[in-house]
């Protein structure tokens, strides 16, 4: 069964430090990778997308993709208390969806706590 | 840009009734929308893919006769939960495939979700 795995946490990081979130996926054919942030009771909000190996930076966020290792990570620099949320890793690949569509397969999320 | 709305945000209904949830892309056209369900402390699970002008594609284990999907226009998809039961109580979230940031690959943008409680 195709899966996306994340450590559920909680991951506690001091304010101002770097938070590192990790994700592994089982299907080598996956093409697109996303990080979403979800606050309690709210829907996911897109943080980063990455499609090719290497690093992609956007402000305080850096996504890293290693397709050979089937590994995706998200780094949050200068962590703020407002970054406290659940971070969902999502993968897009036709083999995940029985219907052949490109719906996302989500990990269970990592609960991040930024300590003031 | 790329805003998706859902209505209602919260609904409480009696067991056996039907509930319709609307998902709209407000500032872009979406030929494809997706419906997800999230139970407490669980991740989002894809239920079905909604394609404008054609039948929806359901994920394995999702009853198409219970969860009716209609995508009648490029900006609107509806999910109707028929004969709802307490086990259908969940957070239903739609997404619409829209333009990627910076003109890149299409990205999914999520609506705010609908919390359904079936008594």
């Amino acid at each position: 069964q195709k899966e996306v795995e994340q450590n559920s946490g909680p991951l506690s990081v001091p304010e101002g430090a770097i938070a590192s979130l990790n994700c592994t996926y089982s299907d080598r054919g996956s093409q697109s990778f996303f990080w979403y942030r979800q606050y309690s009771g709210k829907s996911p909000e897109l943080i980063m997308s990455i499609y090719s190996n290497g690093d992609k930076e956007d402000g305080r966020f850096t996504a890293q993709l290693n397709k050979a290792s089937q590994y995706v990570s998200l780094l949050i620099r200068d962590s703020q208390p407002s970054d406290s949320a659940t971070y969902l890793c999502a993968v897009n690949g036709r083999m995940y969806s029985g219907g052949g569509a490109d719906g996302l397969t989500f990990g269970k999320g990592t609960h991040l706590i930024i300590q003031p | 840009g790329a805003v998706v709305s859902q209505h209602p945000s919260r609904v409480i209904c009696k067991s056996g009734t039907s509930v319709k949830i609307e998902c709209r892309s407000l500032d872009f056209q979406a030929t494809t929308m997706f419906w997800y369900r999230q139970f407490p402390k669980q991740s989002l699970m894809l239920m079905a893919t909604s394609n404008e002008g054609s039948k929806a594609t359901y994920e394995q284990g999702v009853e198409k006769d219970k969860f009716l999907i209609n995508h009648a226009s490029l900006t609107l998809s509806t999910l109707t939960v028929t004969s709802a039961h307490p086990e259908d109580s969940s957070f239903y979230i739609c997404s619409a495939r829209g333009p990627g940031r910076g003109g890149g690959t299409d990205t999914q943008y999520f609506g705010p979700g609908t919390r359904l409680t079936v008594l």
Side-chain angles (χ1 to χ4, degrees):
Chain A
Q1 185 174 351
K2 311 298 189 292
E3 294 182 341
V4 176
E5 299 286 346
Q6 293 181 257
N7 189 322
S8 62
L11 173 64
S12 187
V13 173
E15 183 176 357
I18 296 175
S20 178
L21 304 164
N22 304 314
C23 170
T24 59
Y25 59 96
S26 63
D27 181 17
R28 286 190 174 276
S30 301
Q31 298 295 320
S32 308
F33 308 86
F34 305 87
W35 282 100
Y36 285 85
R37 177 173 63 194
Q38 186 175 29
Y39 294 111
S40 180
K42 303 295 184 182
S43 69
E45 171 192 7
L46 180 66
I47 299 295
M48 292 281 292
S49 59
I50 188 166
Y51 306 99
S52 56
N53 282 328
D55 295 0
K56 179 181 178 182
E57 185 175 319
D58 184 359
R60 295 187 296 113
F61 300 95
T62 299
Q64 299 174 317
L65 174 61
N66 183 327
K67 289 187 177 181
S69 300
Q70 296 174 236
Y71 176 90
V72 192
S73 67
L74 178 70
L75 300 178
I76 306 174
R77 290 181 298 281
D78 188 23
S79 298
Q80 302 297 311
S82 59
D83 294 328
S84 298
T86 296
Y87 287 80
L88 302 171
C89 173
V91 177
N92 189 337
R94 287 175 178 261
M95 281 179 274
Y96 280 93
S97 169
D102 54 353
L104 295 172
T105 298
F106 284 85
K108 291 187 176 181
T110 297
H111 183 44
L112 176 65
I113 299 172
I114 305 300
Q115 296 179 323
Chain B
V3 178
V4 177
S5 71
Q6 269 185 256
H7 177 80
S9 59
R10 186 180 297 268
V11 59
I12 300 173
C13 69
K14 293 182 178 180
S15 184
T17 60
S18 295
V19 174
K20 179 184 284 190
I21 303 170
E22 293 185 348
C23 177
R24 294 181 185 272
S25 56
L26 298 185
D27 51 1
F28 66 100
Q29 293 183 331
T31 56
T32 304
M33 293 183 175
F34 303 90
W35 288 96
Y36 295 84
R37 179 168 54 181
Q38 186 176 35
F39 291 106
K41 299 192 183 301
Q42 299 293 317
S43 191
L44 280 76
M45 296 297 293
L46 178 65
M47 298 177 67
T49 301
S50 171
N51 297 296
E52 188 268 336
S54 65
K55 291 183 179 180
T57 303
Y58 290 81
E59 294 302 299
Q60 192 172 9
V62 177
E63 300 175 57
K64 62 180 181 180
D65 294 331
K66 181 172 183 61
F67 298 98
L68 302 179
I69 292 173
N70 184 282
H71 194 155
S73 78
L74 288 172
T75 60
L76 173 64
S77 175
T78 61
L79 168 69
T80 301
V81 183
T82 62
S83 187
H85 288 94
E87 58 265 32
D88 298 323
S89 298
S90 187
F91 192 40
Y92 291 85
I93 310 172
C94 74
S95 72
R97 192 168 66 190
R101 292 177 177 173
T105 307
D106 286 355
T107 298
Q108 289 189 32
Y109 299 93
F110 284 84
T114 297
R115 190 162 302 281
L116 171 64
T117 303
V118 184
L119 303 177

